[in-house]
Amino acid sequence: MSKGNSFFILGGVLGVIATSLLFTVILYNQDDAEVADQGRVLRLGHNLSVKHPLHQSLLYFSEELSNVSGNQLKLEVYPASQLGDETKCIEQVQSGTLDFTKTSTGPLGNFVGLMKLFSLPYLFRDSGHYWQVLEGEIGQELLSKLSVRDGGGASGIHGLGYFDSGSRNFYSNVPIHSPKDLQGRKFRVMRDPVAMDLVSALGGSPTPIPFGELYTALKQGVVDGAENNPSSVLSARHHEVAKYLSLDAHTRIPDLVIMSQKTWNKLSDQEKAWLEASMLKATSYQRELWKVSEEKSLAQIKKEGVEVIEVDQAPFKLAVKPVIEKYAQGELLEFYNRIQAVK
Ligand code: EAX
């Protein structure tokens, strides 16, 4: 090979390398431009209606996130069980096919046993006690424990923050004044073993049904009643098919915004900070909205013909004691005692 030829070949090779490098740089910059332009889009699925204050709070969370990140991190909210009921959404979050869900801690107890704590009857004295615990050291500790599954190891879930979900009360097609009125009747519960035991302890038959299917179940008489807060009753129009609501306030189970640990791990520190800041704002927004909504919803369902019954809570508290004894064991008992000690 002559000197001239090898120079020619070398020149060709260098040319190809330079061209590929140039294309790589152009393509890389284009990718970057796209991320900057469109932002990262995450998805959240939940089971409540668009009329529910929780949905409005999630939209607020999404707006805050777009604002604080200058549209670099966005959240799409899919309501009304479009992406599945609560348990299905938790499973998807765990496996990483869904980024976020808003769920009651009720069904979460099947994934992280410690969450059953929140389903214990009369755990909190009132709304003040509830928020003092959730916003304090105990609440934050419990939130971080969501990432650990029973017996150690990762759960795949990252807890982001609590929302108010008020107290849960029985509503039915018959008036309930005391536990004996539950006898021989079927009550819908979440997919939550503690809620099942609670209804049984009061003498009723617990029937787990996804929230999105409950209207039909009540209408068709598959169940005689259910238990929830006034905002959920009204926004799902259950008051059309259950004419009595008893203010027994047997539980105060929080709603939670949870994330897939896989998604969380993919985010930059900046993105994580944006999420935390928006969640904090959404939490205070939701608390205010909740207070108004709870009162208004109760007044509205009364206006639409529901009889609201003030009950003596004492016989309810007495009947559910064995449920507390059954679940308050080990670590859960430690948290139970710490919560009771918060004044
Ligand atoms: O998270 O299923 C239920 O009864 C829950 O209260 C509802 O999904 C709120």
Side-chain angles (χ1 to χ4, degrees):
M1 204 184 281
S2 78
K3 240 187 184 174
N5 269 350
S6 38
F7 267 131
F8 183 72
I9 293 171
L10 186 67
V13 170
L14 284 177
V16 170
I17 293 176
T19 315
S20 346
L21 271 176
L22 188 68
F23 270 114
T24 313
V25 169
I26 290 171
L27 284 176
Y28 180 79
N29 281 340
Q30 264 181 355
D31 267 7
D32 249 18
E34 248 167 47
V35 169
D37 199 31
Q38 297 179 355
R40 195 196 286 275
V41 182
L42 303 174
R43 293 186 315 146
L44 181 150
H46 73 86
N47 65 349
L48 298 169
S49 116
V50 291
K51 290 188 212 135
H52 199 287
L54 255 299
H55 178 68
Q56 281 143 27
S57 306
L58 290 165
L59 292 183
Y60 176 89
F61 174 41
S62 163
E63 271 167 36
E64 278 302 315
L65 189 60
S66 293
N67 289 343
V68 72
S69 73
N71 284 327
Q72 290 185 62
L73 192 58
K74 288 189 259 190
L75 183 70
E76 285 174 353
V77 181
Y78 295 84
S81 312
Q82 282 173 50
L83 305 184
D85 62 31
E86 284 192 319
T87 297
K88 295 244 168 62
C89 283
I90 301 170
E91 282 166 0
Q92 293 175 68
V93 159
Q94 206 173 29
S95 69
T97 52
L98 179 62
D99 303 305
F100 292 80
T101 189
K102 187 290 302 162
T103 176
S104 166
T105 57
L108 262 178
N110 296 316
F111 297 81
V112 176
L114 189 56
M115 290 297 121
K116 291 186 186 132
L117 170 72
F118 287 121
S119 296
L120 293 184
Y122 302 104
L123 173 67
F124 300 107
R125 291 185 299 275
D126 50 30
S127 172
H129 181 208
Y130 170 84
W131 276 113
Q132 212 177 330
V133 170
L134 295 188
E135 284 196 321
E137 198 183 288
I138 305 176
Q140 298 316 302
E141 227 177 293
L142 285 164
L143 201 59
S144 69
K145 288 202 174 260
L146 255 177
S147 59
V148 188
R149 83 178 140 71
D150 301 353
S155 71
I157 299 169
H158 178 83
L160 213 57
Y162 298 100
F163 278 157
D164 205 337
S165 194
S167 64
R168 297 180 77 95
N169 305 276
F170 285 107
Y171 56 101
S172 169
N173 54 18
V174 290
I176 292 165
H177 297 280
S178 76
K180 70 172 174 14
D181 297 321
L182 275 90
Q183 290 232 332
R185 299 208 158 88
K186 285 190 186 158
F187 288 86
R188 177 269 175 177
V189 289
M190 292 188 277
R191 198 193 282 256
D192 170 357
V194 189
M196 305 257 307
D197 284 339
L198 184 145
V199 169
S200 300
L202 292 168
S205 304
T207 311
I209 296 175
F211 189 73
E213 293 165 29
L214 182 51
Y215 182 93
T216 312
L218 283 165
K219 189 169 182 164
Q220 295 179 343
V222 174
V223 286
D224 301 292
E227 40 89 60
N228 222 314
N229 56 64
S231 306
S232 293
V233 173
L234 178 69
S235 62
R237 311 213 54 83
H238 292 170
H239 63 294
E240 292 174 358
V241 283
K243 287 298 174 196
Y244 300 93
L245 171 73
S246 300
L247 301 176
D248 65 295
H250 50 270
T251 45
R252 199 173 274 280
I253 306 182
D255 265 354
L256 266 184
V257 177
I258 60 167
M259 267 190 88
S260 170
Q261 189 69 51
K262 281 193 183 152
T263 305
W264 180 254
N265 292 348
K266 266 188 237 159
L267 301 181
S268 67
D269 287 347
Q270 174 66 85
E271 288 172 315
K272 287 175 182 168
W274 286 332
L275 266 178
E276 276 169 351
S278 329
M279 186 67 219
L280 205 63
K281 277 194 155 183
T283 308
S284 21
Y285 175 86
Q286 194 268 342
R287 270 179 75 174
E288 290 312 308
L289 191 63
W290 185 262
K291 273 187 225 150
V292 179
S293 158
E294 212 175 22
E295 262 177 46
K296 268 196 177 167
S297 302
L298 192 61
Q300 187 63 27
I301 56 182
K302 258 189 201 171
K303 205 172 140 195
E304 293 191 31
V306 169
E307 187 182 327
V308 176
I309 304 168
E310 299 279 350
V311 299
D312 174 11
Q313 292 179 359
F316 287 88
K317 286 185 178 163
L318 190 67
V320 297
K321 268 196 170 157
V323 182
I324 302 174
E325 279 154 24
K326 176 174 173 184
Y327 289 97
Q329 309 273 349
E331 194 183 18
L332 204 148
L333 175 62
E334 282 168 32
F335 275 102
Y336 180 85
N337 288 337
R338 278 173 67 190
I339 291 175
Q340 299 310 298
V342 173
K343 293 293 164 225

